[in-house]
Amino acid sequence: MNRVRDVLMPCWGAVIAFLKVGLAMRFNFFMSLLVTLVASWVLVSVWRIIHGGSTTVQGVFGEQELVTYVIVAQVVNLARMGWINRNIVYRSLRHVRTGLIALDLARPIDLQVLRYVEWAAVFVVDLLLVAVPVWLVWYVSGSLALPASPVDAVFFFVSVALAWFVMCGIHFLVSLLIVWTYDEIGLLMVRTAIQEFFGGTLIPLALMPAPLAVLAAIMPFQAVVYTPVSIYLGRLQGQELIFALGLQAAWGVALLLAGRWLWGRAAPKLEIQGG
Amino acid sequence: MESDSQAIAVRNLIKTYRVEQRREGRLGWLRSFVTPNYQYIRALDGISFTIPPGEVVGLLGPNGAGKSTTVKIVAGIMYPNEGEVRVLARDPHRQRIQNAREIGVLFGQRSQLIDELPAIDSFQYLRAVYRIPQSEFQQRLDELTEVLELGPLLGQPVRTLSSGQRTRCDVAATFLHRPRVVFLDEPTVGLDVEAKQSIRRFIASMRDLHGVAVILTTHDLADIEELCERVILIDKGRVVYDGSLRRLINRFAASKAVQVEASASAQQMIKQTVQTHWPDATVELLGSMIRVSGLADAGGATDVARALLSLSEVGNLTITEPRVEEVIRNVFREGGIDEPSA
């Protein structure tokens, strides 16, 4: 019991601290809200133009479904250049480059655990203050369908939680690459570009031509956006649904282990120069 | 290592940095872009020392000597290329987390407080991370608040504090979990005299009350004079002196400094006289006083004093101890000491 408490107490402390950090960034939320609303409006407009009044796109998506897809994808897009990426993830990258990581490493807590826990805290804040309001705005405007069924809604939330787990793995690996690349903004932009395309945020993966769709299927990014959105739309059922959730979990664990391995290699290379 | 009773034991540390070097020539900047030129710089070149519990040791050296690198390696933050480190008989790299529980760090240039939040939130975060029981935490926080006068600062976002206020909060954060070994890297940088005093008093009390071992790096030698009986001097990644501060002063500044009250015209005359006869000496004007230091040997001071007293318009003359600053400057000017340890 005590051992459990020994492990949980530092994590809980970090969660609380970062909840507070998140809530201290009042203005960043309004910007994030705005960015997400604008991005989803642009994508909705683009797809409405492409759709051009025909009943389905490539025989796969009806208009209402496509619009719902695009909006929900924006809502759960953990790679968006909102405040989490611009402030919190950027901060962990900058810590490595500027040597502030020295202070993280002077603490009796595993660096990877610390990062996952920090990101969990800000993810909750982002969910409540950005994702839900954006969803509400679109819902009230009448463009958005509800989840296909109550059961799908429940699985959708499970899937979003797993998506967060996968995203932490991606964040952590990217934050270690800074040891070799020394450019945090560049790294984040590249990651966001790749992730938004291959994760299905811009174009549903079902509409991609075969070679690209295969490429997207073997990368972890679809586990962050495409899977939860497909569940929301009710496109994954039964065994397919269970498999998709299992795949998300598997990606989360694989990235966690990859992060541990890479950190083991990066830590001895860390050069913190200057006072 | 036989040094398990030591708070800190370091043997033969070597650390090499890769540093980019601009290519020479007119288009060097362009060629450096295409094919960067890296050089390996040996920041630490075989550093060894031990520090027992309850001792505050000053780590001194010119910029780039390897002080901060040594601190980061001993704290378990950075890895050495070679060499052995033990902190409280542990390997701080293999057992980073256990080690981190027992150490405190303070980097004067980098705050450990969460910038966006009031300091009290950082303290509560540290309470959880170090698993300090609530009652103990409250008691220590009260103590620290009183000694470091944190009261009104606790509720203010850290980024709005002045550097002196922030440093006081940082010092509290360093000692909150009662570390047994503490690394203070320029703890008083950028502070006014009063703030420096209160921080020095606090460090001394932690040493005396709790037997904390401290490595202190600083450019402010008043910190050293007040806190350290022992100093380690490093230069170009090597230990050039490790021993008592007193001994260093006696050995290295056999000379005393001569200080004398003189009118403005006399000051000019003294300056000329000294510069003619003792070209190595340093002459400083301090208001109505003139100070001559850096003389080659003990006899020098007496000779200077005699010469000055023979001048007219000269008042009170005192022969004083040299300042630590002058001693250190001499050590590095002469490229270190032949017998490195005391």
Side-chain angles (χ1 to χ4, degrees):
Chain A
M1 201 49 217
N2 270 344
R3 294 196 60 170
V4 175
R5 210 205 56 197
D6 282 356
V7 173
L8 289 186
M9 190 168 162
C11 294
W12 185 242
V15 167
I16 298 296
F18 271 76
L19 277 178
K20 290 176 183 168
V21 171
L23 292 173
M25 297 180 162
R26 250 167 295 165
F27 292 100
N28 302 56
F29 289 123
F30 295 120
M31 288 312 290
S32 273
L33 212 56
L34 195 63
V35 165
T36 312
L37 280 173
V38 169
S40 48
W41 177 79
V42 167
L43 276 170
V44 166
S45 306
V46 167
W47 281 106
R48 281 200 169 125
I49 293 164
I50 294 173
H51 208 271
S54 59
T55 43
T56 63
V57 172
Q58 294 181 10
V60 182
F61 282 100
E63 181 170 332
Q64 165 90 45
E65 197 181 18
L66 191 58
V67 167
T68 301
Y69 178 98
V70 168
I71 294 167
V72 176
Q74 283 300 314
V75 168
V76 301
N77 180 12
L78 296 170
R80 80 168 84 94
M81 284 311 263
W83 71 282
I84 290 191
N85 276 297
R86 282 186 291 111
N87 299 108
I88 307 296
V89 177
Y90 171 77
R91 169 205 196 98
S92 57
L93 267 67
R94 200 187 40 150
H95 272 207
V96 179
R97 194 177 54 79
T98 61
L100 271 169
I101 194 174
L103 292 164
D104 291 327
L105 294 178
R107 303 276 174 242
I109 186 168
D110 182 84
L111 185 78
Q112 196 179 22
V113 170
L114 179 65
R115 290 285 178 262
Y116 273 57
V117 167
E118 287 172 9
W119 292 328
V122 296
F123 168 69
V124 169
V125 177
D126 186 73
L127 206 61
L128 294 178
L129 295 184
V130 180
V132 170
V134 170
W135 183 90
L136 269 176
V137 167
W138 281 105
Y139 182 69
V140 170
S141 80
S143 311
L144 197 57
L146 286 174
S149 74
V151 177
D152 287 324
V154 171
F155 281 119
F156 169 70
F157 285 114
V158 173
S159 181
V160 169
L162 287 168
W164 165 81
F165 184 41
V166 175
M167 196 63 219
C168 283
I170 296 170
H171 280 332
F172 191 73
L173 285 174
V174 170
S175 76
L176 293 182
L177 290 181
I178 195 79
V179 174
W180 287 276
T181 63
Y182 293 96
D183 176 3
E184 50 269 27
I185 298 273
L187 214 49
L188 281 179
M189 301 277 276
V190 170
R191 190 223 51 201
T192 299
I194 292 177
Q195 178 154 8
E196 292 202 328
F197 186 71
F198 287 104
T201 315
L202 302 176
I203 303 168
L205 299 183
L207 299 182
M208 281 190 181
L212 283 178
V214 170
L215 206 54
I218 59 171
M219 289 203 272
F221 306 115
Q222 36 89 19
V224 179
V225 168
Y226 190 65
T227 305
V229 181
S230 299
I231 294 173
Y232 184 101
L233 293 174
R235 296 176 78 90
L236 291 175
Q237 295 295 337
Q239 268 192 330
E240 263 186 342
L241 174 72
I242 300 303
F243 177 77
L245 292 175
L247 191 62
Q248 279 187 301
W251 267 120
V253 172
L255 290 168
L256 181 94
L257 295 177
R260 281 215 97 62
W261 177 80
L262 193 64
W263 172 230
R265 318 234 341 170
K269 263 190 70 94
L270 209 57
E271 288 187 359
I272 305 167
Q273 296 179 26
Chain B
M1 273 172 135
E2 94 252 308
S3 40
D4 281 358
S5 61
Q6 302 285 352
I8 299 171
V10 161
R11 202 168 60 195
N12 214 12
L13 282 193
I14 292 178
K15 177 73 183 177
T16 314
Y17 285 129
R18 194 178 79 155
V19 179
E20 193 178 333
Q21 203 70 38
R22 165 70 62 80
R23 289 182 188 280
E24 285 175 21
R26 266 184 67 205
L27 290 176
W29 52 275
L30 192 57
R31 286 172 50 222
S32 281
F33 175 75
V34 183
T35 50
N37 179 21
Y38 293 106
Q39 283 191 348
Y40 290 86
I41 292 180
R42 208 164 240 223
L44 300 186
D45 193 10
I47 298 256
S48 302
F49 59 83
T50 57
I51 297 176
E55 189 169 47
V56 179
V57 176
L59 190 60
L60 303 177
N63 293 327
K67 305 183 297 286
S68 285
T69 303
T70 305
V71 166
K72 283 172 206 148
I73 289 176
V74 180
I77 293 164
M78 220 158 56
Y79 288 60
N81 297 92
E82 280 175 50
E84 233 179 313
V85 187
R86 288 287 177 277
V87 176
L88 301 168
R90 283 195 198 93
D91 178 334
H93 300 99
R94 293 232 176 106
Q95 297 165 278
R96 183 182 73 76
I97 290 182
Q98 290 94 315
N99 181 57
R101 252 180 245 301
E102 310 259 22
I103 67 167
V105 296
L106 174 73
F107 298 107
Q109 320 264 22
R110 293 170 177 147
S111 178
Q112 58 190 311
L113 307 164
I114 303 171
D115 213 34
E116 296 87 351
L117 302 178
I120 185 71
D121 288 336
S122 288
F123 295 152
Q124 269 157 2
Y125 167 63
L126 294 175
R127 178 184 93 75
V129 168
Y130 290 99
R131 308 192 303 228
I132 308 169
Q134 180 65 43
S135 55
E136 256 172 73
F137 169 76
Q138 199 53 52
Q139 188 198 331
R140 283 181 210 171
L141 186 62
D142 290 345
E143 270 173 41
L144 292 165
T145 303
E146 197 190 317
V147 181
L148 293 166
E149 294 167 44
L150 306 179
L153 311 178
L154 290 176
Q156 220 173 309
V158 169
R159 71 180 132 70
T160 65
L161 297 177
S162 75
S163 67
Q165 295 172 326
R166 202 216 67 205
T167 305
R168 264 150 52 207
C169 293
D170 255 312
V171 170
T174 303
F175 285 93
L176 195 59
H177 57 287
R178 287 273 155 83
R180 293 162 65 198
V181 174
V182 170
F183 303 92
L184 302 173
D185 195 355
E186 307 220 20
T188 59
V189 70
L191 303 187
D192 64 29
V193 180
E194 209 165 309
K196 283 181 182 185
Q197 275 302 340
S198 77
I199 284 175
R200 285 177 201 141
R201 270 200 304 272
F202 177 77
I203 295 168
S205 74
M206 284 293 126
R207 170 196 58 195
D208 300 339
L209 288 175
H210 303 293
V212 179
V214 178
I215 291 188
L216 172 66
T217 73
T218 180
H219 285 286
D220 186 336
L221 291 155
D223 290 347
I224 300 289
E225 284 182 273
E226 285 190 33
L227 288 168
C228 310
E229 277 167 25
R230 176 176 158 211
V231 291
I232 297 174
L233 266 50
I234 56 179
D235 190 22
K236 301 189 182 81
R238 287 170 177 275
V239 174
V240 294
Y241 177 82
D242 179 351
S244 94
L245 179 61
R246 189 99 309 269
R247 212 179 109 103
L248 181 75
I249 293 172
N250 290 342
R251 258 214 63 192
F252 234 77
S255 75
K256 310 267 186 210
V258 180
Q259 201 162 308
V260 67
E261 218 170 64
S263 67
S265 57
Q267 285 187 343
Q268 279 313 313
M269 201 155 38
I270 292 170
K271 205 169 172 183
Q272 278 170 11
T273 311
V274 171
Q275 276 165 355
T276 326
H277 297 287
W278 294 278
D280 290 336
T282 311
V283 182
E284 288 169 277
L285 301 177
L286 309 159
S288 65
M289 304 287 277
I290 184 161
R291 181 183 165 89
V292 182
S293 58
L295 298 160
D297 54 62
T302 325
D303 292 344
V304 171
R306 209 171 286 139
L308 296 188
L309 283 172
S310 70
L311 297 168
S312 56
E313 296 178 73
V314 170
N316 265 334
L317 179 141
T318 44
I319 297 183
T320 59
E321 295 285 323
R323 286 187 228 130
V324 181
E325 208 176 298
E326 291 158 1
V327 176
I328 306 288
R329 204 192 302 138
N330 282 347
V331 175
F332 291 116
R333 193 192 285 152
E334 294 179 20
I337 299 170
D338 312 332
E339 37 154 2
S341 50

